[in-house]
Amino acid sequence: MPATATCPKALHAHLLRSGALFADPSAAAPLAAAASLASLPYALSILRAHPTTFSYNSAIRALARGPRPHLAISLYRSMLSHSRSHPNNYTYPPLLAACARLADSDSSSAAAAAAAGVALHASLFRRGLESPDRFIRASLLSLYAAAGDLPAARQVFDLSPPNHRDLPLWNSLLHAYLSRAHYVQVLRLFRTMRTADHVTLLALLSACAHLGALHTARWAHAYLATTCSFPITTNLATALLNMYMRCGDVQTACSLFHSTPTRHKDVHTWTVMIAGLALNGFSTDALHLFTHMKDHNIQPDSVTLTAVLSACTHAGMVDEGKRILRRMPLDYHLQPTIEHYGCTVDLLGRAGLLEEALALIRAVPFKADVALWGALLVACRCHRNFEMGQMVAMEILRLDPQHAGAWVFLSNVYAAAGKWDLVQEVRISMKQHRIHKPPGSSVVELDGVVYEFLSGDHSHPQSDQIYAMLDEIGKTLSLKGHKPATKLVTFDIDEEDKEVCISQHSEKLAVAFGLINTRRGAVIRIVKNLRICEDCHSVMKVVSEVYDRVIVVRDRNRFHHFKSGSCSCLDYW
DNA sequence: CTAGGGTTAG
């Protein structure tokens, strides 16, 4: 066959001239697939002439993988209504995958796609295709995961007979938990598995990266190195680097990166290194690596540029960041997306250039979204500009009435101004909208076991000791002249609840727990779900000096490496 | 008879 798969007309002409289209009914299948990507009416005309299940399936599969997956579902509908050929077990996996792709996107049709997926489940069930086909089961599981229905996804797994649970089905379940941020579940499930391949390991490494659990990460790496017989792909190497970076082990990530041959590094590999260095506060190294990457003729992509901009943000390199944003189209043939503008708003905002950040938002060639305004809101809070902040909060609530951060900000501004009636109104609105803050949590790992603390938590068996330790720390701190940072306006969604005393923030509980249970000199590593607050930040600095400990805190945005009384972020975060 | 599921980063 000539190499015309991408050009349906040429393929069509060839098949007609050679007579193959009439001699061999299956010859229409690749033609229908190619035609469906060029024009759906064209594909339909071919399918009308050659209405086999095989041809429909080929076209559906091509559409499901293409840029407009919903067309696969349209074609399925016309297969049902206009054709005498019936769907079979090969028809459904691409259709379910198309629904999953749509349901996972944040487009307005996500809910409709999920519903279409459930309808497909019903229709394949009616045809008796559910239980005998392992491909359909894996696709179904992934569909329910993408639609956010984890119990249904789990049920697909549980209802499969154990001897039918093949590796892709296990992997689907792992990735289902991963996509819903159930990282501990991923680890638990992995430990019950008998075999693993590189897809399994990708899920495992990603879960470790999210948890920031370094002991577990090292265990996963050792498992990969000793137990796995499959080759380490570029993707796996990238996931491994990302994992070490997100666990704060920059050393290991860097030495692995340097020992990886250049031909095994792609744009993703370089990007995770740049992002990881920025995350850990090594912004200049991140920018050097970016230069290095270009020297190796690797074209940066859109994500690389967000990593580069975030490096500029963490280092406060305002002019460099602005220059990079401006030159993106010229230097890299990349049009800035709303995310790049978001990074730059963050960059300007953190540097205190609020007016310039606002001007940038007004100038973006997109409709400003919640994330963009949200970056400015954080900056307004940071630099105590309540007037602009109030305007920004209103903009956010217009776009998303559920945005807890904006409500809380307003409430604080009104409280600071003594407008208690307005505070009351905000509280009532929040209740009506059923908005609640996510609880602050911190995670520490001890001998490979992950311990989680919530603010004001008393549930840990060592709770008495922990609070006694906090007292001791408090006394030491006041001897050192430290005063708790109790500002009037500090209650914020990004930090922990000020209604719980700041001395009981989860990271303080975690550090006390770490001091009690680890030997002198051991590094204490904490991962928290929100941003670290000012008081905790200064407490960590003093603790690192007084108790002579290295403390590594990963917060929502970045790492803080505390050592001998100072932090790697140089108090800029 | 042909074909198909699970896949890294911010």
Side-chain angles (χ1 to χ4, degrees):
Chain A
M1 183 181 308
T4 46
T6 50
C7 176
K9 294 252 160 139
L11 177 61
H12 199 173
H14 169 81
L15 291 174
L16 284 171
R17 241 188 342 260
S18 64
L21 199 50
F22 301 100
D24 174 11
S26 70
L31 176 59
S36 71
L37 292 175
S39 130
L40 201 53
Y42 180 30
L44 285 168
S45 75
I46 291 160
L47 287 165
R48 263 196 297 279
H50 307 275
T52 62
T53 297
F54 184 38
S55 296
Y56 269 100
N57 289 353
S58 299
I60 286 172
R61 182 160 37 86
L63 287 170
R65 289 209 270 242
R68 291 155 63 75
H70 64 276
L71 292 180
I73 302 159
S74 305
L75 187 58
Y76 171 70
R77 294 211 174 106
S78 74
M79 178 186 192
L80 293 185
S81 50
H82 303 299
S83 164
R84 300 170 61 83
S85 55
H86 297 293
N88 64 8
N89 52 328
Y90 287 94
T91 315
Y92 289 96
L95 283 171
L96 294 166
C99 290
R101 276 180 65 192
L102 292 165
D104 205 23
S105 73
D106 42 27
S107 78
S108 55
S109 54
V118 175
L120 282 168
H121 189 176
S123 105
L124 70 89
F125 181 81
R126 265 202 317 276
R127 288 167 211 276
L129 295 171
E130 182 182 54
S131 43
D133 196 286
R134 61 186 200 280
F135 294 91
I136 285 178
R137 280 195 304 269
S139 310
L140 271 176
L141 200 165
S142 302
L143 166 76
Y144 283 115
D149 191 346
L150 218 44
R154 178 77 211 200
Q155 200 172 33
V156 172
F157 184 86
D158 288 339
L159 292 179
S160 304
N163 56 334
H164 288 259
R165 293 176 195 160
D166 60 2
L167 190 50
L169 191 71
W170 281 89
N171 288 340
S172 303
L173 189 60
L174 283 177
H175 283 276
Y177 284 128
L178 192 63
S179 68
R180 297 290 136 188
H182 294 230
Y183 308 119
V184 177
Q185 281 283 22
V186 172
L187 298 184
R188 283 234 292 266
L189 194 64
F190 175 78
R191 288 179 207 267
T192 68
M193 291 176 69
R194 292 183 164 193
T195 56
D197 66 1
H198 71 283
V199 178
T200 319
L201 265 290
L202 284 174
L204 177 66
L205 298 183
S206 177
C208 290
H210 282 282
L211 285 169
L214 186 60
H215 283 98
T216 312
R218 288 186 176 140
W219 170 81
H221 187 184
Y223 180 93
L224 176 64
T226 58
T227 315
C228 300
S229 52
F230 50 84
I232 294 190
T233 60
T234 303
N235 282 354
L236 257 180
T238 303
L240 200 56
L241 295 172
N242 178 52
M243 176 182 79
Y244 277 114
M245 280 298 195
R246 297 191 66 92
C247 289
D249 190 343
V250 181
Q251 283 286 317
T252 305
C254 286
S255 62
L256 277 173
F257 180 75
H258 290 305
S259 63
T260 304
T262 306
R263 63 179 188 285
H264 288 156
K265 291 173 186 163
D266 65 7
V267 57
H268 301 125
T269 319
W270 291 87
T271 301
V272 297
M273 287 300 290
I274 293 167
L277 286 168
L279 184 74
N280 282 279
F282 300 97
S283 295
T284 23
D285 299 88
L287 296 178
H288 278 142
L289 205 63
F290 181 50
T291 310
H292 222 71
M293 165 184 181
K294 290 181 283 182
D295 293 341
H296 280 78
N297 289 322
I298 306 282
Q299 272 298 316
D301 71 4
S302 170
V303 182
T304 316
L305 268 292
T306 59
V308 171
L309 287 171
S310 94
C312 294
T313 301
H314 290 315
M317 302 162 79
V318 176
D319 293 331
E320 181 67 0
K322 276 157 65 177
R323 198 180 62 84
I324 288 168
L325 180 77
R326 192 176 61 242
R327 294 197 56 90
M328 271 177 65
L330 298 88
D331 293 348
Y332 312 111
H333 307 291
L334 292 169
Q335 283 307 319
T337 67
I338 198 148
E339 270 142 7
H340 298 106
Y341 287 109
C343 286
T344 314
V345 168
D346 198 25
L347 168 80
L348 295 166
R350 276 173 212 244
L353 303 167
L354 299 180
E355 293 294 341
E356 197 178 341
L358 179 61
L360 180 62
I361 292 186
R362 299 231 188 267
V364 294
F366 307 97
K367 189 174 162 358
D369 66 358
V370 171
L372 208 52
W373 288 113
L376 186 54
L377 185 69
V378 169
C380 288
R381 190 216 47 203
C382 231
H383 296 279
R384 315 268 186 264
N385 185 334
F386 300 140
E387 201 186 320
M388 188 188 289
Q390 209 170 327
M391 182 276 286
V392 172
M394 301 289 198
E395 286 289 343
I396 292 175
L397 291 174
R398 227 160 36 85
L399 295 167
D400 176 14
Q402 304 276 10
H403 197 281
W407 284 112
V408 170
F409 184 93
L410 283 181
S411 153
N412 285 332
V413 170
Y414 297 146
K419 299 176 183 167
W420 299 109
D421 48 331
L422 288 175
V423 173
Q424 196 56 29
E425 243 175 70
V426 168
R427 294 254 161 99
I428 292 167
S429 289
M430 285 178 76
K431 218 165 236 155
Q432 281 170 346
H433 285 95
R434 292 175 206 288
I435 294 159
H436 43 249
K437 267 164 68 70
S441 85
S442 290
V443 166
V444 243
E445 198 187 27
L446 211 72
D447 300 324
V449 182
V450 170
Y451 297 90
E452 186 181 38
F453 294 91
L454 304 178
S455 21
D457 202 336
H458 282 83
S459 64
H460 193 271
Q462 284 180 304
S463 198
D464 290 345
Q465 269 177 280
I466 289 169
Y467 281 93
M469 189 57 166
L470 276 180
D471 270 351
E472 190 193 315
I473 293 172
K475 281 178 193 138
T476 320
L477 291 180
S478 48
L479 282 176
K480 280 251 144 196
H482 171 83
K483 289 198 180 64
T486 42
K487 293 196 191 61
L488 186 57
V489 181
T490 42
F491 173 48
D492 191 278
I493 190 71
D494 288 334
E495 295 172 0
E496 289 193 359
D497 204 328
K498 294 302 182 295
E499 284 164 15
V500 174
C501 178
I502 54 170
S503 68
Q504 298 182 14
H505 277 180
S506 60
E507 59 266 52
K508 293 202 182 83
L509 301 180
V511 83
F513 174 77
L515 286 171
I516 293 168
N517 291 296
T518 58
R519 57 174 207 294
R520 264 195 97 77
V523 177
I524 299 172
R525 296 170 182 277
I526 298 168
V527 176
K528 72 165 297 180
N529 64 338
L530 306 171
R531 279 171 34 134
I532 189 166
C533 82
E534 279 178 45
D535 187 64
C536 286
H537 194 265
S538 51
V539 167
M540 295 292 172
K541 287 201 288 190
V542 181
V543 169
S544 74
E545 187 180 11
V546 174
Y547 293 84
D548 192 26
R549 291 289 193 118
V550 173
I551 303 166
V552 181
V553 179
R554 188 183 100 186
D555 77 4
R556 198 188 180 86
N557 284 321
R558 62 173 298 160
F559 271 95
H560 302 266
H561 296 253
F562 299 94
K563 195 184 170 189
S564 317
S566 59
C567 178
S568 62
C569 76
L570 302 172
D571 301 335
Y572 186 87
W573 84 94

